[in-house]
Amino acid sequence: MNRSTPPAEYELMDDPSPKRYGRGLFLTTLFGGLTSIAWGRPVWSRLSGSLAGIESLVPLVPHGWRIYSVADTMPTFDPATWRLAIDGLVQQKLALSYHELRALPQSHQITDFHCVTGWTVKNVHWKGVRLSEIFDRARPFPEAHALQFVSAEQPYLDYLTLQQSQLKDVMLAYEMDGKPLTREHGAPLRLVIPEMYGYKGVKWLNRINLVPQAGDGYWEYLGYDRDAWVGRSNGYGA
Amino acid sequence: MGWPLERLRRVRFVRRFSRTERTLHWVNAAGFLLLLASGLILYLPRLSVLVGRRPLIKDVHLWGGIGWIGALAIVVLLGDRRGILRTARELEVLEPSRFNVGQKVNALLNAAFALLFLVSGLLLWFGERDTRFRFTSTVLLHDILMYAALTLLVGHLYLAVIHPATRHSLRGMTRGTVREDWAKRHYPRWAPPPAD
Ligand code: HEM
């Protein structure tokens, strides 16, 4: 590279005691940014309470949601051919069409959604069916102690123990905030378990397999916790 | 044959940016735009859906980021190090000289942001693999940096490309020289060396 000398004469350089506010600005920004890893989130949640109105003025900016996917393309939903399979350790295997699923008794809930990477979406309005409706029809065998949730997005899957799946606000959701699930949110069906981080909430759900015990899901295989309790797993809280 | 030629002869140019400075600028710009584009695909739901291929975009973004900072370091190491150091010293003093105060603030903030992007980006990456590196505020830092850097970029582009009084400065960053009269008007406290 050419070592052509750049311009040299600055009057400031003759100033015997220049005030280095520029250095201060640089170092302060660096320091503030680095330490914000410790204080950023709590300060932000207090601020964003008062900023909530402003956020909704900017339509392009996601309202907290980020879309995570692991395959090259997101699954597409065809109501004519889509089925939710319930199989494994059940007395009655099922293959519910979208129509049949929507015909099951509905539930609503408003719960917060927490992602393990640190963002949260408050007050998400979900509509869907409880797992108990499914269990009533499929009748799991006593040996079934866990559920494997399989996504149409290969190779994503995850597990809940039977006990975890019976928490009262666990839901198979087909509507979010008053509208059918959009493609990026897992159309037509996703699992919702507000007590756990979002990676447990399998999107594009198309199979529930009853199994003797829980195994590692997609992210657990990469080192995340199986029991993904919000605030007390994956290195948080504890 | 009249005045245009005469005027041409009278236009004198002065050297504004060394080749190292210009290379540094354009490597920085290219890397930043690549990271901005790939980062926004990861960030904005509509773009995520449109583009898909998240694993690939993530790789482009991560390695782009490492390449960006690495390339900047290499340009400095192989280039005119003393010149860069001198420029850095000049930036430390927030008074008009070869640059005005706004330019200095822009450069200093961008330098700090680049380091913070690197640190938070690497934490995001390692955090995905190891809970010891996982912090709830990392994504927040990375996002806020993006908004702040984007704001600076918009102002910078306006002054460098659009605003009639200042856009001649673009020539300094492409060819390395600017008109002497322009330099005198905009940087009265700078005593520029003549071109060539
Ligand atoms: C050395 C530089 C950088 C590194 C190592 C880096 C790394 C990363 C990583 C690992 C992620 C997480 C991806 C994921 O898991 O989904 C990410 C997200 C992101 N990056 Fe960067 N990045 C860098 C610079 C930048 C720059 C310069 C910009 C924009 C100007 C940017 C914008 C973003 C955005 C918008 C996201 C999405 C964040 C979110 O989901 O909230 N990054 N980056």
Side-chain angles (χ1 to χ4, degrees):
Chain A
M1 222 156 282
N2 185 338
R3 283 164 193 268
S4 67
T5 17
E9 271 63 61
Y10 317 122
E11 294 176 24
L12 285 172
M13 296 298 132
D14 307 331
D15 186 341
S17 59
K19 300 213 172 45
R20 302 191 189 280
Y21 293 127
R23 174 188 289 201
L25 176 69
F26 174 79
L27 292 177
T28 310
T29 309
L30 207 54
F31 180 79
L34 290 176
T35 57
S36 80
I37 288 169
W39 54 259
R41 186 59 64 181
V43 170
W44 183 253
S45 15
R46 292 193 52 191
L47 273 180
S48 58
S50 42
L51 289 178
I54 300 177
E55 222 168 64
S56 54
L57 293 179
V58 193
L60 248 191
V61 176
H63 295 191
W65 289 105
R66 322 275 150 97
I67 304 305
Y68 293 158
S69 57
V70 301
D72 280 353
T73 50
M74 296 182 195
T76 41
F77 165 51
D78 176 359
T81 57
W82 183 86
R83 294 287 181 279
L84 174 65
I86 321 288
D87 56 11
L89 300 170
V90 291
Q91 297 177 41
Q92 178 62 59
K93 291 190 162 69
L94 302 174
L96 299 173
S97 70
Y98 187 62
H99 190 72
E100 290 166 327
L101 182 79
R102 300 285 310 221
L104 295 177
Q106 298 179 345
S107 298
H108 298 257
Q109 70 191 41
I110 297 179
T111 44
D112 295 349
F113 184 97
H114 300 277
C115 175
V116 68
T117 60
W119 51 270
T120 288
V121 182
K122 294 211 183 255
N123 302 322
V124 188
H125 192 158
W126 300 106
K127 182 160 135 189
V129 300
R130 300 288 174 205
L131 280 167
S132 55
E133 301 294 342
I134 307 282
F135 288 171
D136 288 350
R137 289 160 180 77
R139 284 173 288 127
F141 288 114
E143 309 86 83
H145 294 299
L147 297 82
Q148 182 192 46
F149 295 90
V150 183
S151 174
E153 188 199 31
Q154 294 294 333
Y156 204 97
L157 52 79
D158 213 322
Y159 296 81
L160 292 182
T161 65
L162 197 61
Q163 219 182 1
Q164 290 166 351
S165 79
Q166 285 161 349
L167 288 168
K168 72 173 188 350
D169 48 10
V170 172
M171 175 185 269
L172 302 178
Y174 45 64
E175 278 191 16
M176 187 181 108
D177 295 331
K179 278 172 281 182
L181 274 189
T182 54
R183 188 176 177 204
E184 65 269 28
H185 286 290
L189 191 67
R190 74 171 299 167
L191 177 65
V192 172
I193 170 164
E195 292 81 359
M196 293 198 182
Y197 288 118
Y199 66 89
K200 297 299 279 191
V202 174
K203 298 198 279 188
W204 302 290
L205 181 65
N206 65 4
R207 179 175 174 215
I208 302 175
N209 182 17
L210 280 283
V211 290
Q213 60 182 38
D216 279 342
Y218 182 88
W219 287 109
E220 289 114 85
Y221 184 73
L222 294 171
Y224 284 48
D225 290 348
R226 267 191 209 176
D227 300 329
W229 305 112
V230 170
R232 334 178 243 130
S233 65
N234 291 291
Y236 299 131
Chain B
M1 298 259 290
W3 58 276
L5 258 184
E6 273 220 335
R7 196 168 120 177
L8 254 186
R9 224 181 303 130
R10 250 189 280 131
V11 172
R12 295 205 309 161
F13 287 94
V14 291
R15 178 149 295 281
R16 180 149 176 81
F17 291 114
S18 72
R19 182 168 295 186
T20 302
E21 285 171 325
R22 281 178 285 150
T23 312
L24 205 55
H25 175 272
W26 292 115
V27 168
N28 182 43
F32 182 86
L33 290 180
L34 173 74
L35 290 162
L36 179 66
S38 52
L40 287 180
I41 293 171
L42 298 174
Y43 182 54
L44 297 173
R46 271 182 233 175
L47 282 181
S48 308
V49 178
L50 200 68
V51 178
R53 304 187 136 255
R54 189 175 184 90
L56 173 71
I57 304 294
K58 252 168 92 161
D59 282 347
V60 167
H61 189 77
L62 175 82
W63 292 108
I66 293 169
W68 176 47
I69 303 295
L72 292 178
I74 288 172
V75 172
V76 174
L77 285 178
L78 297 185
D80 173 16
R81 267 164 287 161
R82 285 177 48 214
I84 293 294
L85 202 65
R86 210 175 316 130
T87 305
R89 292 243 176 75
E90 191 185 352
L91 293 176
E92 288 191 331
V93 181
L94 282 190
E95 281 166 38
S97 57
R98 175 156 67 117
F99 310 108
N100 61 41
V101 174
Q103 288 175 305
K104 290 187 176 183
V105 168
N106 182 54
L108 290 162
L109 287 182
N110 272 311
F113 289 175
L115 293 175
L116 291 172
F117 268 125
L118 181 68
V119 172
S120 56
L122 291 180
L123 282 178
L124 285 176
W125 185 254
F126 289 128
E128 202 172 298
R129 271 129 257 270
D130 186 333
T131 54
R132 281 177 302 162
F133 298 112
R134 199 174 300 151
F135 309 100
T136 34
S137 304
T138 316
V139 166
L140 186 65
L141 172 60
H142 210 74
D143 288 356
I144 287 181
L145 283 171
M146 187 269 289
Y147 285 112
L150 200 56
T151 309
L152 288 181
L153 178 68
V154 169
H156 176 66
L157 283 181
Y158 173 73
L159 290 169
V161 185
I162 297 172
H163 188 55
T166 52
R167 68 182 177 206
H168 177 65
S169 62
L170 188 56
R171 192 196 145 105
M173 208 35 101
T174 51
R175 304 228 230 144
T177 57
V178 291
R179 286 204 324 264
E180 186 179 37
D181 61 316
W182 182 87
K184 284 221 169 84
R185 213 166 341 111
H186 287 268
Y187 303 98
R189 305 198 49 192
W190 174 43
D196 329 310

